[in-house]
Amino acid sequence: MRTHSFLTVLLWSSVFYVIHMTPSQKRTSKHSHSESITGLAENDGKTLHRTKRGWMWNQFFLLEEYTGPDTQYVGKLHTDQDKGDGNLKYILTGDGAGSLFIIDENTGDIHAAKKLDREEKSLYVLRAKAIDRKTGRQVEPESEFIIKIHDINDNEPKFTKDMYTASIPEMSGVGTSVIQVTATDADDANYGNSAKVVYSILQGQPYFSVDPETGIIKTALPDMSRENREQYQVVIQAKDMGGQMGGLSGTTTVNITLTDVNDNPPRFPQSSYQFSSPESAPPGTPLGRIKANDPDVGENAEIEYSISNGDGSDMFDIITDKDTQEGIITVKKHLDFENKVLYTLRVEATNTHPDPRFLQLGPFKDTALVKISVEDIDEPPVFSRPWYLIEVDEDAKEGSIIGQVVAQDPDVAKNAIKYSVDRHTDLDRIFNIYSGNGSLFLSKPLDREETPWHNITVIATEINNPKQSSQIPVFIRILDINDHAPEFANYYETFVCENAKAGQLIQTVSAIDKDQPPRGHKFFFELVPEFAVHPNFSVVDNKDNTAGIMTRRNGYSRSKTSTYLLPIIIFDNDYPIQSSTGTLTIRVCTCDSRGNMQSCSAEALLLPAGLSTGALVAILLCIVILLVLVVLFTALKRQRKKEPLIISKDDVRDNIVTYNDEGGGEEDTQAFDIGTLRNPEAREESKMRRDVIPETIFQIRQSAPLWENIDVQDFIHRRLKENDLDPAAPPYDSLATYAYEGNDSIANSLSSLESLTTDGNQDYDYLSDWGPRFKKLADMYGGDDSDRD
């Protein structure tokens, strides 16, 4: 807008030229065309006459953003038909007609009513016509004309973004492209230099530059290091008018970040490190951390630590903490202060992702010296072996020494040690130990057959420091001696047939021995000396720890001898030789022709010694007689006729009441009359109680006649309530308390109240089993006669 006055003068000169020159140039063509149309209109089939007319306009130009005091004059519409007498009327239609563009209908002058903006609309198309005021007829056909808006530099360049973000690797070469920025100008690019933009850098030199035409930002300095500076802010200006004086401009900011490359090797901040470790530290214990510094970031700063050499490379290890990039030194093997007190390691730190472009800068690794001192601690005693195995004969005497364990203090002080046996592993206290020298001895005899192995634990403790102790397992194996004689492996039930032949095998026997000789068992069988020439049987040793029993004669008689006893001696072959005598019982049996047993002696098979067949028959006969008697007695009892409990109303029922309660006893016949329960209406109202003294009885309270449909239980409950409320009534137990047991009793009623209505016979024989107190009832109801009959 600084050149507004100059441009206005210039543009108005152009407009005036176009307005005055253009119509004259087009007049001829317009005129000839109008003449032909007019002649056709006026002839109506008659002679044609040429009429001269023409528009005084074609195209107009207008300057945008006009700020003058008057409305901007656009141009003038004029036709040859206009005689200047005011008979013609000019009408304007189309884009902006009446609002933006106003026409003087008498003169045809057009003015712009408002300030126009080419960036909003650069071209307006309008239509004009001239009308005769009197006739309303168009003197000219409607024609279009154009109003073009001339551009002025009223828009500054604008960038597509208010702020740009870019990144570029550090150490990039000069001229490396970073990012391209773009600015646009809303002015007309085809008219002058209003829209021609030129880029320049206002901030960011000397590190970056910008191409003035393309807006591409490039690096301007070599070897820019991220470690020195990581962030840059560059300001770019875009100016129109080709960058000339008076042009408009706009700016944008570009934030540029240098990304990391692996151009720095790791470096230890110090050349040596010092650590210490107690000798008791178990493998895997961390001792300390070291760290090599690397100014790079991300994977470019990842470091791997290792032990390159040193006298402790086999005793220690180093691992890398991936989170902190530190090296952690750990114990690899058990340390011993008495063996070595100082170790030296050389630790190396190396980049895991080196960049080949920067290898010429030097090796991407560094080394440091690590010294580790071992601290002495009070250690428990150490045994000479990890475990002990002791073998002892099972016949070793009590108090004999069977072995020794040895332990010593590994510390420099060499403290004295005492030994003991963990009694949880030797509950029977079979073994003991001398506390001074670790010699084990027996406290009780051994038995290999009962326990072949003993596993005990021996404890060694420092005398000066009882907290320092260690223990060792001791396995004691009991060696076998030949202290058990062999014996038959099984109990043999041997028989010989009566028709057996001489030399016939009737049984094969074998032996077992609890001992376990190193060369295995070897048994020998033979008859005892006094049976060496036994006339009936012989023993043949099979030389395989078995022996065969053979017959020595033909035929055996069961009637003469039903059982033979054959004593056999069994020897072993260990030292000292052990032997035992086993007796084989041989029964004589009847056999078939094939030698299969059919029957043997009954006495030998079924009865113990001294019990004859006659005695067995007598016992069986007695058992049969007893069973018959029991059956007959039961049958007689079931055939006995039953009689009801109630025989006489006067004496029997009283007796029943008497023996069903715990009150008056056998001689009390004045108990409550049960007949009242059967017929409550027949009771005498004035009848006195028979179980109390008459003069002490109060007047009986009258009660309502509730005897219709009354239940016996309800009646008893009422009588009980009356007795409870009567202060003169003694606490006698009577039928009112015990004669009725209520409903649904598990034991059912013991009363005979329902005996008269019961169908069938009732068995009262159980009364005789109740003892002498119930003898009278047993006699009354246990007879053959029945009251019911």
Side-chain angles (χ1 to χ4, degrees):
M1 301 302 295
R2 301 172 185 173
T3 58
H4 178 70
S5 301
F6 171 76
L7 291 176
T8 303
V9 175
L10 179 63
L11 292 176
W12 270 110
S13 301
S14 301
V15 170
F16 290 151
Y17 175 80
V18 172
I19 292 175
H20 294 286
M21 294 300 295
T22 303
S24 61
Q25 295 173 359
K26 300 292 182 175
R27 185 182 300 269
T28 305
S29 60
K30 288 283 183 176
H31 178 75
S32 62
H33 178 70
S34 301
E35 285 179 350
S36 61
I37 296 176
T38 305
L40 290 174
E42 296 178 353
N43 191 6
D44 293 334
K46 300 177 182 180
T47 305
L48 297 178
H49 299 280
R50 183 181 301 273
T51 302
K52 295 180 63 177
R53 65 107 184 118
W55 286 104
M56 300 297 295
W57 57 272
N58 188 4
Q59 181 171 281
F60 302 98
F61 295 90
L62 187 64
L63 192 66
E64 69 168 337
E65 302 293 344
Y66 174 74
T67 58
D70 301 327
T71 58
Q72 187 177 184
Y73 181 74
V74 178
K76 183 180 181 64
L77 295 181
H78 184 73
T79 177
D80 294 341
Q81 300 294 328
D82 189 0
K83 303 301 181 180
D85 53 5
N87 291 331
L88 295 182
K89 178 182 179 181
Y90 295 96
I91 298 175
L92 184 66
T93 60
D95 295 340
S99 58
L100 294 180
F101 303 102
I102 300 174
I103 188 172
D104 188 335
E105 60 181 14
N106 296 321
T107 64
D109 292 325
I110 301 173
H111 292 80
K114 296 181 180 180
K115 181 173 65 176
L116 301 178
D117 188 356
R118 189 202 64 84
E119 285 70 36
E120 292 182 3
K121 191 174 180 63
S122 62
L123 184 68
Y124 295 89
V125 178
L126 295 98
R127 291 178 294 280
K129 57 184 176 179
I131 299 175
D132 190 322
R133 290 178 182 271
K134 296 179 179 180
T135 63
R137 182 176 59 86
Q138 292 187 15
V139 296
E140 293 287 350
E142 184 180 65
S143 299
E144 287 185 350
F145 68 95
I146 297 173
I147 299 177
K148 289 186 177 181
I149 309 301
H150 273 303
D151 182 46
I152 65 172
N153 190 17
D154 59 341
N155 291 279
E156 72 275 6
K158 293 184 179 180
F159 286 93
T160 57
K161 295 181 180 179
D162 294 335
M163 181 176 293
Y164 293 83
T165 302
S167 62
I168 185 173
E170 62 173 334
M171 309 300 290
S172 297
V174 176
T176 303
S177 178
V178 179
I179 192 174
Q180 183 178 14
V181 295
T182 303
T184 58
D185 195 320
D187 293 325
D188 190 359
N190 298 320
Y191 181 77
N193 294 329
S194 298
K196 186 177 182 181
V197 178
V198 175
Y199 300 95
S200 62
I201 184 167
L202 299 182
Q203 178 182 323
Q205 295 174 335
Y207 308 102
F208 300 94
S209 63
V210 64
D211 189 296
E213 294 183 359
T214 62
I216 297 176
I217 301 174
K218 301 179 181 180
T219 58
L221 285 181
D223 301 331
M224 286 190 294
S225 176
R226 184 198 65 82
E227 290 73 28
N228 295 332
R229 182 176 177 182
E230 183 177 4
Q231 298 287 340
Y232 294 87
Q233 191 175 70
V234 179
V235 178
I236 302 297
Q237 181 188 62
K239 190 173 184 180
D240 59 10
M241 298 295 293
Q244 296 177 7
M245 185 69 69
L248 303 179
S249 64
T251 60
T252 187
T253 301
V254 182
N255 293 323
I256 301 176
T257 302
L258 297 183
T259 58
D260 185 59
V261 297
N262 194 5
D263 59 338
N264 294 280
R267 291 290 181 263
F268 284 105
Q270 57 192 69
S271 59
S272 64
Y273 296 86
Q274 183 74 34
F275 299 102
S276 63
S277 172
E279 61 176 335
S280 60
T285 303
L287 303 181
R289 292 172 175 253
I290 61 175
K291 179 175 174 53
N293 297 326
D294 191 335
D296 296 324
V297 294
E299 67 175 15
N300 297 323
E302 293 181 1
I303 301 173
E304 187 71 27
Y305 296 90
S306 62
I307 298 176
S308 58
N309 53 42
D311 56 3
S313 58
D314 58 339
M315 302 299 295
F316 301 93
D317 198 3
I318 186 169
I319 59 177
T320 303
D321 189 334
K322 298 299 183 182
D323 296 330
T324 62
Q325 299 302 316
E326 294 177 317
I328 306 174
I329 299 176
T330 60
V331 178
K332 188 176 182 180
K333 295 182 180 179
H334 286 285
L335 304 175
D336 188 1
F337 175 82
E338 289 71 27
N339 184 29
K340 191 175 180 63
V341 298
L342 183 64
Y343 294 90
T344 302
L345 307 174
R346 185 166 293 279
V347 177
E348 185 177 88
T350 308
N351 272 142
T352 57
H353 299 86
D355 194 331
R357 297 177 299 172
F358 306 103
L359 293 179
Q360 72 277 3
L361 300 179
F364 278 74
K365 61 183 179 179
D366 195 14
T367 59
L369 196 64
V370 178
K371 295 181 180 180
I372 302 174
S373 58
V374 181
E375 299 176 351
D376 186 27
I377 64 170
D378 191 4
E379 298 177 272
V382 178
F383 284 92
S384 59
R385 301 178 187 176
W387 50 271
Y388 289 87
L389 173 62
I390 298 176
E391 295 182 343
V392 57
D393 294 331
E394 65 174 322
D395 61 346
K397 303 301 182 182
E398 296 182 20
S400 59
I401 296 176
I402 61 174
Q404 184 183 18
V405 297
V406 178
Q408 63 178 0
D409 184 10
D411 298 321
V412 178
K414 302 296 180 184
N415 293 323
I417 296 172
K418 64 178 182 179
Y419 301 89
S420 61
V421 176
D422 186 358
R423 290 305 171 188
H424 294 90
T425 61
D426 185 24
L427 298 176
D428 296 332
R429 296 182 175 271
I430 300 175
F431 305 95
N432 213 330
I433 192 170
Y434 290 108
S435 62
N437 58 11
S439 297
L440 288 165
F441 62 91
L442 292 177
S443 298
K444 292 182 180 180
L446 303 173
D447 186 0
R448 188 204 65 82
E449 286 70 33
E450 182 179 351
T451 307
W453 284 89
H454 294 271
N455 301 328
I456 65 174
T457 299
V458 175
I459 302 173
T461 306
E462 291 185 10
I463 296 177
N464 296 336
N465 187 6
K467 294 183 179 180
Q468 296 297 333
S469 64
S470 59
Q471 57 186 19
I472 199 73
V474 179
F475 307 104
I476 302 174
R477 179 183 180 185
I478 310 304
L479 300 178
D480 183 41
I481 63 171
N482 194 21
D483 58 345
H484 290 84
E487 56 187 15
F488 281 128
N490 299 299
Y491 173 75
Y492 296 100
E493 294 183 354
T494 306
F495 70 94
V496 62
C497 296
E498 289 183 312
N499 57 355
K501 304 297 182 181
Q504 183 177 344
L505 176 65
I506 62 172
Q507 183 69 58
T508 300
V509 296
S510 61
I512 58 173
D513 194 339
K514 294 182 179 179
D515 298 320
Q516 289 184 351
R519 294 183 300 275
H521 292 290
K522 182 64 178 177
F523 303 119
F524 304 94
F525 303 86
E526 63 180 36
L527 292 174
V528 296
E530 56 269 26
F531 287 87
V533 282
H534 198 284
N536 296 309
F537 303 98
S538 63
V539 176
V540 178
D541 195 334
N542 297 326
K543 308 301 181 182
D544 59 354
N545 294 336
T546 63
I549 310 301
M550 312 293 292
T551 59
R552 297 193 63 182
R553 62 185 177 87
N554 295 327
Y556 295 85
S557 176
R558 183 174 56 168
S559 59
K560 293 181 179 180
T561 304
S562 61
T563 303
Y564 293 93
L565 301 178
L566 186 63
I568 301 175
I569 301 176
I570 308 173
F571 300 91
D572 59 18
N573 68 335
D574 205 356
Y575 180 82
I577 296 176
Q578 300 287 342
S579 65
S580 66
T581 300
T583 301
L584 190 65
T585 302
I586 304 174
R587 295 177 295 147
V588 180
C589 300
T590 302
C591 303
D592 56 15
S593 60
R594 296 182 179 180
N596 298 322
M597 181 182 65
Q598 292 181 339
S599 65
C600 296
S601 174
E603 291 81 5
L605 291 176
L606 300 176
L607 299 178
L611 187 61
S612 62
T613 304
L616 178 62
V617 173
I619 293 173
L620 293 177
L621 184 60
C622 291
I623 293 174
V624 171
I625 293 173
L626 289 175
L627 291 176
V628 172
L629 291 176
V630 170
V631 172
L632 290 177
F633 180 75
T634 304
L636 289 174
K637 290 182 66 177
R638 291 185 176 180
Q639 291 177 359
R640 182 181 302 172
K641 294 183 178 180
K642 312 302 184 296
E643 59 182 281
L645 282 174
I646 299 178
I647 300 175
S648 174
K649 178 179 180 182
D650 296 331
D651 51 8
V652 175
R653 272 184 282 180
D654 290 342
N655 290 332
I656 293 174
V657 172
T658 300
Y659 289 101
N660 272 321
D661 60 61
E662 299 179 4
E666 295 181 0
E667 301 302 328
D668 185 6
T669 59
Q670 300 300 322
F672 188 84
D673 188 0
I674 197 171
T676 306
L677 298 178
R678 293 295 180 185
N679 188 12
E681 293 181 349
R683 69 188 181 97
E684 299 178 6
E685 297 295 331
S686 62
K687 188 176 181 179
M688 309 299 277
R689 290 181 54 171
R690 295 180 295 167
D691 54 345
V692 296
I693 300 174
E695 52 268 25
T696 61
I697 301 177
F698 284 81
Q699 185 67 29
I700 299 176
R701 293 183 296 272
Q702 300 295 326
S703 58
L706 301 176
W707 313 119
E708 291 80 12
N709 299 326
I710 192 170
D711 185 52
V712 175
Q713 184 179 6
D714 295 335
F715 174 76
I716 292 175
H717 288 167
R718 290 179 177 275
R719 297 296 293 164
L720 285 174
K721 186 174 181 181
E722 292 177 2
N723 291 338
D724 293 336
L725 298 176
D726 189 357
Y732 296 128
D733 293 332
S734 64
L735 181 64
T737 302
Y738 298 99
Y740 191 80
E741 294 183 5
N743 296 329
D744 299 330
S745 173
I746 298 177
N748 295 322
S749 176
L750 296 177
S751 174
S752 61
L753 296 177
E754 299 179 358
S755 61
L756 294 176
T757 60
T758 304
D759 296 335
N761 296 328
Q762 185 173 356
D763 189 1
Y764 297 98
D765 292 339
Y766 60 89
L767 296 176
S768 60
D769 298 331
W770 287 9
R773 295 186 61 186
F774 299 89
K775 183 176 182 302
K776 190 173 181 179
L777 283 176
D779 294 338
M780 294 171 60
Y781 295 98
D784 295 335
D785 297 332
S786 175
D787 292 343
R788 189 170 299 175
D789 296 338

